[in-house]
Amino acid sequence: MTFKGVINAHQTIITHELNEKYPTCRKGERIEIHRKNGNVCEGTFAGSENDGILLCTDKGQLSIPFIELDPGSRVRLDKAGRKILTENLARERTLDFFMGPNETKDETHNIRHTYSTLSLGKQPGGSRSRKLSQ
């Protein structure tokens, strides 16, 4: 099986796992929102905006940014965030599948470290990549 095939298989499995444990919310559904600061809001889910959700409560409509939601609430409400989470978890599981979970202790020779630094624009070993103009 190809690397991409294994990623796709893991994405399917992770999507199923998330749907079982954290089903997405639907408009009109009565929900309880947990924020990172520990506050809990109850209301009716009125939809998503670009960077948050709309919640109808007894006190009126609230706009709550995704960044304020705890991970369990966010994964149920943030479709784009859920997709990114699924893709990243699939990549991580695929690396474990091909390389093993603990292939080496030296981070400069660790494929997972190399993969993660490439996506951040850093070079293995921790230094930032230089711009071509320098």
Side-chain angles (χ1 to χ4, degrees), residues 1-53:
M1 184 178 274
T2 66
F3 190 80
K4 184 66 176 167
V6 175
I7 287 177
N8 290 340
H10 282 127
Q11 283 180 329
T12 300
I13 292 166
I14 291 164
T15 298
H16 177 74
E17 290 171 352
L18 286 174
N19 289 341
E20 288 286 316
K21 192 167 184 177
Y22 300 100
T24 57
C25 295
R26 296 193 173 126
K27 277 187 178 181
E29 181 179 346
R30 186 99 177 129
I31 58 174
E32 185 177 270
I33 301 296
H34 295 262
R35 293 184 181 198
K36 288 179 185 177
N37 65 8
N39 290 340
V40 177
C41 301
E42 290 184 35
T44 303
F45 179 54
S48 297
E49 300 177 312
N50 292 336
D51 60 348
I53 65 156

Side-chain angles (χ1 to χ4, degrees), residues 39-108:
N39 290 340
V40 177
C41 301
E42 290 184 35
T44 303
F45 179 54
S48 297
E49 300 177 312
N50 292 336
D51 60 348
I53 65 156
L54 297 174
L55 187 68
C56 294
T57 69
D58 298 339
K59 297 177 183 176
Q61 190 169 7
L62 295 176
S63 178
I64 304 171
F66 289 129
I67 197 148
E68 291 182 12
L69 301 177
D70 79 349
S73 292
R74 186 167 184 172
V75 77
R76 294 186 68 217
L77 295 159
D78 182 358
K79 288 181 184 180
R82 186 181 184 102
K83 182 179 184 221
I84 291 167
L85 174 66
T86 301
E87 291 168 354
N88 286 330
L89 289 173
R91 285 187 196 104
E92 187 174 303
R93 287 186 187 180
T94 301
L95 289 173
D96 286 347
F97 177 81
F98 282 109
M99 303 302 295
N102 298 310
E103 70 278 359
T104 180
K105 301 269 188 225
D106 179 4
E107 74 174 27
T108 60

